[in-house]
Amino acid sequence: MSALPNTDVPTLLVKIFGKDRPGITAGLFDTLAAYSVDVVDIEQVVTRGRIVLCALVTEPTVAAAGELRATVHSWADSLKLQAEIISGTGDNRPRGSGRSHVTVLGHPLTAECTAAIAARITDTGGNIDRIFRLAKYPVTAVEFAVSGVDTEPLRTALATEAAEIGVDVAVVSAGLHRRAQRLVVMDVDSTLIQDEVIELFAAHAGCEAEVAAVTEQAMRGELDFEQSLHARVALLKGLDAEVVEKVRAEVRMTPGARTLVRTLKRLGYQVGVVSGGFTQVTDALQDELQLDFASANTLEIVDGKLTGRVTGEIVDRAGKARLLRRFAAEAGVPLDQTVAIGDGANDLDMLNTAGLGVAFNAKPVVRQAADTAVNVPFLDTVLYLLGITREEVEAADGDVIHLH
């Protein structure tokens, strides 16, 4: 956007509507060029084959203004387009202080939900400057550019609204940092993958139901994670170490997980995982997905058998936050440029430490505490929270296929 030095300078807002086709934009400005006007602002939107093109230009001399209007209308009529020309002065009014990007995910996104989000933005004192679609599948994702209200109160207001109407909303401050290199760190169990790894091991030990019950209590925050970890691992004592390969083969990636990691890596992001699970699985995931960082607990194996113990530093709730800080320092990325994704209570410290904490299909206590929540079963929807469009994802995939 440009601004006129003198806000009293006469300007014309030229609006063109109609069926889109190649050459409309060039044709309009070729028509305007005959009157030696300067371009102050341009906006163009195409929706379902219909174009809305707006050009804000300086007004020519009074004598030429009438001729310009007649010429533009004649040009538009020749293409079966509609034209509207509005006189005024100056540029757009300055945007208010406090600028944010509000991303809304719906599956589907209803008019009722959109109205509720827009109304709540207005209630906070914010102004919607622009709206555009990021993706139409696997969810509908739209982004609102909002000014006039600080990010934190806007985030709080919209989080409450989103919970009431059942859509996912993320609010991040605007600025160059949004496109800067970042570090994304994810939980593994029930986030990067669909499974709880310890339950896969437990199924081979014949104690799956007992372990699953303890896991669920720990994820809800009802049990101390480290105590529950030791209790569950003890039930695996005596399992043959060959079970590790079987469990690796049983792991199911969350839909969109590969797309998320692949796209982030192509954009130059660094990606890591921290897990209350086990290195016996996360090491394989790190190799397969080419992750930059990975840390998890390690099952002790002696003489080809699981001992029922873990070795080394315990990766628990506090440990995940500590590892996020460590990864960020090693990556050379400030903490406010980090993104953390998780689903359980033991992810809370990590989510709160990161610049953006995303609760992915999370337990209620986690959804309430995180910056934003994603409640659709597609992990790659996190890309939209970062302002990355579905078209950009597909273009990146197409470029790689072409190169190979």
Side-chain angles (χ1 to χ4, degrees), residues 221-269:
E222 297 171 3
L223 289 178
D224 173 80
F225 179 81
E226 183 173 351
Q227 291 178 338
S228 70
L229 174 68
H230 290 303
R232 288 174 292 170
V233 170
L235 297 171
L236 307 181
K237 182 178 180 179
L239 269 180
D240 196 293
E242 291 180 356
V243 76
V244 169
E245 290 303 323
K246 296 178 182 178
V247 166
R248 286 177 178 172
E250 292 167 353
V251 165
R252 301 167 299 162
M253 289 283 188
T254 297
R258 295 182 190 278
T259 300
L260 172 67
V261 174
R262 181 174 65 244
T263 303
L264 291 173
K265 295 288 290 180
R266 288 174 184 168
L267 289 173
Y269 287 51

Side-chain angles (χ1 to χ4, degrees), residues 264-292:
L264 291 173
K265 295 288 290 180
R266 288 174 184 168
L267 289 173
Y269 287 51
Q270 298 189 61
V271 185
V273 294
V274 290
S275 177
F278 309 109
T279 56
Q280 281 82 358
V281 171
T282 57
D283 286 352
L285 290 173
Q286 183 176 18
D287 291 341
E288 181 180 352
L289 298 176
Q290 298 183 344
L291 301 173
D292 299 283

Side-chain angles (χ1 to χ4, degrees), residues 2-136:
S2 61
L4 292 174
N6 185 348
T7 57
D8 294 329
V9 171
T11 52
L12 296 176
L13 175 59
V14 181
K15 301 170 68 177
I16 303 297
F17 316 85
K19 185 177 180 180
D20 188 33
R21 71 196 74 181
I24 290 177
T25 305
L28 173 62
F29 286 97
D30 187 50
T31 302
L32 294 172
Y35 299 91
S36 301
V37 298
D38 295 331
V39 177
V40 180
D41 198 1
I42 309 172
E43 290 280 356
Q44 179 174 306
V45 176
V46 178
T47 304
R48 209 183 66 180
R50 308 294 290 184
I51 188 172
V52 179
L53 170 59
C54 297
L56 185 64
V57 299
T58 54
E59 188 172 18
T61 63
V62 175
E67 183 182 340
L68 179 150
R69 289 172 180 271
T71 303
V72 170
H73 279 288
S74 177
W75 166 81
D77 288 342
S78 72
L79 296 177
K80 297 182 179 180
L81 298 169
Q82 292 179 286
E84 181 181 4
I85 303 175
I86 304 171
S87 297
T89 57
D91 194 353
N92 304 311
R93 62 185 177 86
R95 295 177 64 188
S97 61
R99 299 180 184 179
S100 305
H101 296 287
V102 177
T103 306
V104 183
L105 309 179
H107 190 54
L109 181 61
T110 67
E112 181 181 9
C113 291
T114 306
I117 293 297
R120 185 56 69 94
I121 291 172
T122 301
D123 291 343
T124 64
N127 183 72
I128 300 171
D129 300 315
R130 185 177 300 173
I131 308 172
F132 62 95
R133 186 177 68 184
L134 293 167
K136 60 183 178 181

Side-chain angles (χ1 to χ4, degrees), residues 43-386:
E43 290 280 356
Q44 179 174 306
V45 176
V46 178
T47 304
R48 209 183 66 180
R50 308 294 290 184
I51 188 172
V52 179
L53 170 59
C54 297
L56 185 64
V57 299
T58 54
E59 188 172 18
T61 63
V62 175
E67 183 182 340
L68 179 150
R69 289 172 180 271
T71 303
V72 170
H73 279 288
S74 177
W75 166 81
D77 288 342
S78 72
L79 296 177
K80 297 182 179 180
L81 298 169
Q82 292 179 286
E84 181 181 4
I85 303 175
I86 304 171
S87 297
T89 57
D91 194 353
N92 304 311
R93 62 185 177 86
R95 295 177 64 188
S97 61
R99 299 180 184 179
S100 305
H101 296 287
V102 177
T103 306
V104 183
L105 309 179
H107 190 54
L109 181 61
T110 67
E112 181 181 9
C113 291
T114 306
I117 293 297
R120 185 56 69 94
I121 291 172
T122 301
D123 291 343
T124 64
N127 183 72
I128 300 171
D129 300 315
R130 185 177 300 173
I131 308 172
F132 62 95
R133 186 177 68 184
L134 293 167
K136 60 183 178 181
Y137 70 93
V139 299
T140 300
V142 295
E143 182 171 290
F144 295 73
V146 177
S147 63
V149 60
D150 289 339
T151 298
E152 286 304 320
L154 180 62
R155 177 183 290 155
T156 300
L158 291 182
T160 302
E161 188 68 37
E164 292 177 359
I165 63 179
V167 297
D168 299 333
V169 178
V171 182
V172 298
S173 60
L176 291 175
H177 66 275
R178 198 175 189 217
R179 286 288 188 174
Q181 184 189 53
R182 287 190 177 185
L183 167 68
V184 177
V185 176
M186 291 175 278
D187 173 43
V188 175
D189 293 10
S190 298
T191 300
L192 181 66
I193 66 174
Q194 299 179 60
D195 311 282
E196 291 288 333
V197 169
I198 195 165
E199 293 176 14
L200 297 180
F201 277 102
H204 291 279
C207 57
E208 183 178 12
E210 186 176 354
V211 165
V214 177
T215 299
E216 183 65 20
Q217 287 180 289
M219 291 301 98
R220 290 197 303 262
E222 297 171 3
L223 289 178
D224 173 80
F225 179 81
E226 183 173 351
Q227 291 178 338
S228 70
L229 174 68
H230 290 303
R232 288 174 292 170
V233 170
L235 297 171
L236 307 181
K237 182 178 180 179
L239 269 180
D240 196 293
E242 291 180 356
V243 76
V244 169
E245 290 303 323
K246 296 178 182 178
V247 166
R248 286 177 178 172
E250 292 167 353
V251 165
R252 301 167 299 162
M253 289 283 188
T254 297
R258 295 182 190 278
T259 300
L260 172 67
V261 174
R262 181 174 65 244
T263 303
L264 291 173
K265 295 288 290 180
R266 288 174 184 168
L267 289 173
Y269 287 51
Q270 298 189 61
V271 185
V273 294
V274 290
S275 177
F278 309 109
T279 56
Q280 281 82 358
V281 171
T282 57
D283 286 352
L285 290 173
Q286 183 176 18
D287 291 341
E288 181 180 352
L289 298 176
Q290 298 183 344
L291 301 173
D292 299 283
F293 304 98
S295 187
N297 300 301
T298 299
L299 291 169
E300 185 181 62
I301 298 175
V302 176
D303 297 330
K305 301 285 186 181
L306 272 65
T307 66
R309 296 188 295 269
V310 292
T311 62
E313 181 182 19
I314 296 296
V315 179
D316 56 7
R317 176 169 168 168
K320 288 187 173 185
R322 183 170 59 251
L323 287 163
L324 172 66
R325 294 189 184 93
R326 182 189 303 171
F327 294 166
E330 293 178 13
V333 175
L335 275 177
D336 62 4
Q337 290 295 106
T338 62
V339 180
I341 311 168
D343 75 297
N346 66 325
D347 297 314
L348 276 173
D349 288 4
M350 176 177 72
L351 297 182
N352 291 329
T353 299
L356 176 65
V358 180
F360 180 73
N361 292 312
K363 310 301 182 289
V365 66
V366 183
R367 290 200 303 269
Q368 293 166 9
D371 294 326
T372 188
V374 172
N375 295 302
V376 294
F378 312 108
L379 192 57
D380 54 340
T381 55
V382 173
L383 293 169
Y384 310 143
L385 307 184
L386 305 177

